[in-house]
Amino acid sequence: MSRPLTDQEKRKQISIRGIVGVENVAELKKGFNRHLHFTLVKDRNVATPRDYYFALAHTVRDHLVGRWIRTQQYYYEKDPKRVYYLSLEFYMGRTLQNTMINLGLQNACDEAIYQLGLDIEELEDIEEDAGLGNGGLGRLAACFLDSMATLGLAAYGYGIRYEYGIFNQKIRDGWQVEEADDWLRHGNPWEKARPEYMLPVHFYGRVEHTKSGLKWVDTQVVLALPYDTPVPGYMNNTVNTMRLWSARAPNDFNLRDFNVGDYIQAVLDRNLAENISRVLYPNDNFFEGKELRLKQEYFVVAATLQDVIRRFKASKFGSTESIRTIFESFPDQVNHAFHFLINVLVAWDITKRTFAYTNHTVLPEALERWPVDLVEKLLPRHLQIIYEINQRHLDKVAALFPNDIDRLRRMSLIEEGGVKRINMAHLCIIGSHAVNGVAKIHSDIVKTQVFKDFAELEPEKFQNKTNGITPRRWLLLCNPGLAELIAEKIGEDYVKDLSQLIKLHKFVNDDIFIREVSKVKQENKVKFAQYLEKEYKVKINPSSMFDVHVKRIHEYKRQLMNCLHIITMYNRIKRNPMKPFVPRTVIIGGKAAPGYHMAKMIIRLITAVGHVVNNDPVVGNKLKVIFLENYRVSLAEKVIPATDLSEQISTAGTEASGTGNMKFMLNGALTIGTMDGANVEMAEEAGEENLFIFGMRIQDVEELDKKGYNAQEYYDKLPELKQAIDQIKSGFFSPKQPDLFNEVTNMLFHHDRFKVFADYEAYVKCQDKVSQLYMNAKEWTKMVIRNIAASGKFSSDRTIKEYARDIWNVEPSDIKIPPPNEPRDVADDKNPNCTTQQVKL
Ligand SMILES: *Cc1c(COP(=O)(O)O)cnc(C)c1O
């Protein structure tokens, strides 16, 4: 037998990551050397690892360009229906490896970089994450872009190019500390600024009555400068566009009118306008009614709509000149009032037929309710139009439900009583032809509880579209060992059709396959342990169970319940040190919103418990607690493939879908979870007996609410819970500051909206079962295989196909956009569109 393969060699073998041709490799090496010279202006004596990363990035980028241009040309010529995905967040993570994989260049690049004497993984690790998102919602947008490109949809992502993405999290003395995410510092090789397509966005001002109707005047203008990022599909020559807007002050900003005096101050004040795209708001599932955030929302919408309409006109009329629309050419004899009415009716009808609204949460504190006063100040004309829309909407409701005043109050776009607010979800529902939730259970809550009145008015609008994840990043990229093992068994087509994973069922009892699956997991665990040791100098035991809870820190996600389980395990070991114990490494990671005090206290508690547990000689190697610093997309790619047990333990009815749960399932972790979000469907797909489901169902939560949740009861009844809470309260984990966690325990007793104590007992019992099974490695791995085989539903390709069919009315296409040519000389081009007449794509 030969020696074991190195990581480098293992990666080379995987054909689903592209074919290594000699010419291919030679061309890549040549490109790399040319970019090091011409783009980075370095030679190998002075080049840094970052220079090598950029040289590789530019080399790979060169392979995108022809395909990108061709794809956009093709859309212009064929003019398919476009899909526009508007989101304030695109949590893209890194781009280099994903691009290599989707273009089929991974293996060739591995070989080229290897031949150049460099380590490609080290280079990949230099890339900054594009952290333009907080958590699941932003990452979903990124997975959707990948799937839309892979399915050949003429799709665009539209958002904001934040100069600072989600903050970097540092842990100092056990506390979270935030650092600015200056992700553009070294330049971004994946974006292309398009200043020629800049658009104006107006704010403030007032509404003036003129002869031809109402006019919005005296506004402040901010320019929206687009930056385009390519979005390659998987092995289909399609490259779509993500267009992110950056705010720029007009050059005459503050230099007209009365401000002319102070030129220097006027130039300095340009920042005021440009602050719109400065920084991502770091809240996950929480509405903070800040003016700057409202500006961001209007900025992306106003710029995007202008861009979309401009492209629409260009495609229909071959010109971007202002086309006289039907309404504009409407006979002039029609009086103005009537003209306006027709315009409003037509516009509202087009709006409804164009837009679809996806709801991502039902937590009341997360739903947007903008104060009317703020909207009036920033967008006075829009407020008037919202009032007009509300009037017509309420007239319709009143006609259908006469004498139901309370219904009118509940369904109004405007919430009265105290601060007047606009309920944005209500506006979205009535302005869309489809409304959907993101997992079955969530869509049911949307329809039967949170927006019940609206579903009674227009039941046909309401749908479900269960979330998914892209198998390219979340399997091929992050877990090549498993991806290849699966390809050996069922072929390579599963990458584009994840439902084929069901074929793995045949191998559930195949001893060799079981061993191989478990070996891949073990290798991933060792690699992750090595990473932790190198980066954080912490040693973990790779033969212990890796019990992982990574996601944003939030009370509803119940990291506190996990923490109580850790304390319970600790106390059991201390009570009976000789009793056999299934060793665990509990890894918890996630960012707390900087203004979310309780979330920060939860982090502090975890680090405090970790400090005691990890330094207790009686515990030794049986239990370790790691708080994983700065959880983000690129760290998810490292930890998820190394996980044995995935923690998905939200209070039933609070997690809309979750997508982290799906990533773990696909990567061979078992789930301990509640019947919440997509966990429900994961259990349906795999069989409930193949997940560790515990705790209250939605009905139980409702019953408990009716009866009244009394945390004290559980504390009195459950000695292990009592012990854990007493320790936290008495300062056992914070001896220098015994009252440090008083707010936490006080919350748990008196205002715990998420009922941690009510699920504690079921959770601990379920964890005991997890440990039991983990002792039987073979049975554990068989359950893992059943989970992987059942995870096909959770591809975002499936999700996007459903959106395309049921909501967007577009066809996924298999049409092969031809592979790119070499760039043509502009003078050789016979197509007048390319030279004389500009077509803005
Ligand atoms: C997938 C993902 C999430 C979402 O995780 P949930 O467990 O569904 O909340 C959050 N952050 C990152 C970095 C992710 O990759």
Side-chain angles (χ1 to χ4, degrees), residues 17-33:
R17 300 167 136 228
I19 294 141
V20 189
V22 180
E23 288 163 46
N24 236 342
V25 172
E27 194 203 327
L28 287 166
K29 282 163 70 179
K30 194 170 135 194
F32 181 93
N33 288 322

Side-chain angles (χ1 to χ4, degrees), residues 91 135-136 139 474 550-551 557 631-633 636 648 655 658-660 663:
Y91 203 170
R139 183 54 233 175
W474 298 114
V550 286
K551 49 183 74 240
K557 291 174 185 279
Y631 180 60
R632 61 198 187 281
V633 174
Q648 308 297 337
E655 185 76 272
T659 50
K663 297 168 197 165

